């Protein structure tokens, strides 16, 4: 197996709608995809309800694990059940305070909405001010496409990031504000190739894969795709560390793997 | 707020592909949706890698919480990294043993595949037998659409269910094998209505919703949908306990809510 150097992330998704079945958690896949692209690993994910005890439980679990970054998404808005920041503050034993930079970001957002004629005028109500009340010593992160700023908290040797649950706002802050803060010296990209295999059952393939990963420095995962027209289909994802593997090494490993798999004539492999 | 009687579920999704961004966790939404339909609540969800320590961590957390049912999906197949059953056994301190009923289910599945000409013949290899090696005193659950049987383990006062990760297999066993085992006397269905609101910001709506849920026995969650053609759009999900609320009570509450929201003329509400 590969011995990879990873920057480790824990992801906490907050929201009743993710556990009622109403909302598909596309945010988690987006975060995992974007992090995989830059060579980071998501070690674990938690999905919790809009409940302070639950948010606190997840945060404590993520802190006590070997995470470098903890990303929470959801619960930054103006409504009564948006409680991520207040729960994070109480969990970390930090006081909440009005952050002037965050307040300025919110005022700028509403000023823009007035200039775009989306709203006629605005005042900074308690609900709007709530989005600028952050745990002490937080850094607000600019939200280009929505109102609630993201929040970065340095805690012990970890970075805790709170992002909105609205997908385009979450993604905007992740890419434009969080990614530039990651220490890329500590990450090493993992690359994958996908093989499509027809005509063999996963249970026939199992010992071949086991033998192969035991003697080669990579990771293989099989995904059975069911039976179509009386033929079994399997996807095989072969992952390796890109800095270590050259393109020719990868190709020769894949050829060796394909030879191992083709135990009878009617097995087809393509990639 | 409602004081609902719930049958509480914890869901554990197992699989590197769910944390690498490769696979969207539709299984979780399916399980949550199906459980919500029958009045059960998902209290919390964990997504972990194909790693025994991680599976064990999630299972221990779910056991120590106030769950009635714990559902694991993924990791029941024949390959080396399908380790849900062996990790569950070690976590619960139960020996693994060949379950004859599970083995019979697997033999029957391959016999069917031979009769359908999908495979020419079969033998019970170690990889195939692996899917019938279950924690002691488990009940195998029939899988109509795949090979690996589901597994039910009674542990203290909880039911632990292991389901395959392949979506149609997971859903088949959940509906046909698990649902008939749920004690419906202990569940009470929650019904929701969705209101679509145009022309008001979420921060203007926040104090109105807060006032409304403080004085009415229901739960309201707002989902901002962004700005289109210069107009704000928000979805409001109003949830209540169906056995308690009659249709006329619900309608009168919704009318009262709409009156509260229409604080100026250009706000439109429909449902």
């Amino acid at each position: 197996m590969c011995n990879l150097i990873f920057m480790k992330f824990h992801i906490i998704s907050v929201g009743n709608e993710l556990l009622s079945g109403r909302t598909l958690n596309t945010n988690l896949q987006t975060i995992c995809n974007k992090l995989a692209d830059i060579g980071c690993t998501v070690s674990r994910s938690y999905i919790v309800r809009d409940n302070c005890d639950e948010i606190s439980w997840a945060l404590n679990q993520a802190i006590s694990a070997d995470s470098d970054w903890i990303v929470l998404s959801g619960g930054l808005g103006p409504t009564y059940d948006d409680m991520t920041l207040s729960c994070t503050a109480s969990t970390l034993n930090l006081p909440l305070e009005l952050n002037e930079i965050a307040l300025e970001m919110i005022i700028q957002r509403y000023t823009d909405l007035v200039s775009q004629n989306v709203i006629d005028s605005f005042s900074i109500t308690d609900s709007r001010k709530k989005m600028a009340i952050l745990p002490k010593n937080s850094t607000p992160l600019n939200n280009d496409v929505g109102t609630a700023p993201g929040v970065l908290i340095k805690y012990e040797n970890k970075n805790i990031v709170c992002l909105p649950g609205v997908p385009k706002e979450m993604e905007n802050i992740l890419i434009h504000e969080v990614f530039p803060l990651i220490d890329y010296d500590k990450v090493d990209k993992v690359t994958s190739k996908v093989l499509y295999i027809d005509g063999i059952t996963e249970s026939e393939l199992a010992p071949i894969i086991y033998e192969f990963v035991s003697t080669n420095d990579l990771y293989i995962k099989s995904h059975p795709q069911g039976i179509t027209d009386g033929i079994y289909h399997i996807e095989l994802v072969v992952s390796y560390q890109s800095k270590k593997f050259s393109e020719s090494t990868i190709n020769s490993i894949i050829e060796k793997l394909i030879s191992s798999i083709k135990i009878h004539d009617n097995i087809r492999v393509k990639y």
Side-chain angles (χ1 to χ4, degrees), chain A residues 54-188:
Chain A
E54 286 293 293
I55 296 168
S56 189
W57 165 82
L59 194 51
N60 278 322
Q61 291 294 325
I63 288 169
S64 64
D66 66 338
S67 56
D68 301 293
W69 287 77
I70 299 165
V71 179
L72 297 99
S73 73
L76 297 197
T79 58
Y80 74 102
D81 58 352
D82 286 313
M83 55 184 79
T84 297
L85 293 175
S86 58
C87 297
T88 299
S90 62
T91 306
L92 305 180
N93 205 21
L94 293 170
L96 284 165
E97 59 181 24
L98 183 71
N99 184 295
E100 294 296 339
I101 299 168
L103 187 62
E104 188 48 46
M105 288 173 175
I106 292 164
I107 291 170
Q108 187 58 53
R109 170 71 176 168
Y110 284 111
T111 305
D112 291 346
L113 290 174
V114 170
S115 72
Q116 291 159 23
N117 292 319
V118 174
I119 53 174
D120 296 332
S121 63
F122 74 94
S123 60
I124 291 298
T125 59
D126 284 349
S127 298
R128 285 169 177 157
K129 202 183 275 182
K130 172 181 175 293
M131 296 183 279
I133 297 175
L134 313 185
K136 193 176 168 71
N137 296 330
S138 296
T139 306
L141 304 172
N142 194 48
N143 181 348
D144 289 330
V145 289
T147 310
V151 177
L152 170 69
I153 304 159
K154 296 268 183 186
Y155 184 77
E156 294 172 356
N157 60 343
K158 296 174 198 287
N159 294 287
I160 300 172
V161 178
C162 303
L163 301 177
V166 178
K168 66 177 183 176
E169 299 182 30
M170 181 284 295
E171 192 171 340
N172 180 280
I173 303 175
L174 182 73
I175 303 284
H176 298 296
E177 297 277 300
V178 179
F179 277 17
L181 303 173
I182 293 173
D183 180 358
Y184 288 93
D185 289 343
K186 292 193 183 159
V187 301
D188 200 1

